[in-house]
Amino acid sequence: MDHPNYYKRSPNPYLHYPYPYNYPYRQYQPVNPQRFIDSANKMIPILKDAEKITTHISKSFDFSKRLMTLAQESKLNEVKNMLYQIGLSTKPDIRFTPSGLVLNFANSKDASNCCLLQLKIRWAE
C-alpha cells in the first residue's frame, strides 16, 4: 500500500497514522574528545609491547616452542619471565588455555581503566 509523501510510517508496521509521524527528539551530550585522545595516547605503549611479543614469537622457533612447553606444563612464573625478558614496559596479565596464550594489557598507571588490550595467540585448533 503506497502512502503519499506527507505520511510517514510509524515504527510499528501494523499501525499507520493519518498524520505525519514525528520521531521523538533525542538530546545528545556535548562531545569532548580530550578523554578519548588521552586514552588513545595511553594505548600506544601497550600496542608497542603487544607488537614486541608477537614479533618475538613469530621470529623465534625456539622461543615459541619453549613458551608453549612451559605453558602446557602450567609453569606460569617461567612463562612470565620469558615474556618479561623481551623488554616490556607494560606487564600483561598472562593466561594460557589448551588452545593458546591470552595476554591482557592494561594501563595500570591510570586508575580510570581507560585502556585495555586483549591479545589472543592460538597454538591449537
Side-chain angles (χ1 to χ4, degrees), residues 42-94:
K42 290 176 185 175
M43 280 298 291
I44 292 171
I46 294 173
L47 290 168
K48 286 181 181 176
D49 285 342
E51 183 183 18
K52 280 182 189 177
I53 290 173
T54 53
T55 301
H56 204 77
I57 289 171
S58 67
K59 302 258 186 218
S60 175
F61 182 83
D62 293 332
F63 179 85
S64 300
K65 184 177 180 180
R66 186 159 185 265
L67 185 72
M68 288 176 66
T69 303
L70 291 172
Q72 286 178 343
E73 295 170 358
S74 296
K75 295 184 177 177
L76 179 61
N77 289 332
E78 286 86 348
V79 170
K80 283 182 180 181
N81 289 336
M82 282 185 71
L83 292 174
Y84 294 164
Q85 287 175 357
I86 296 173
L88 306 177
S89 63
T90 308
K91 305 294 186 209
D93 176 43
I94 301 169

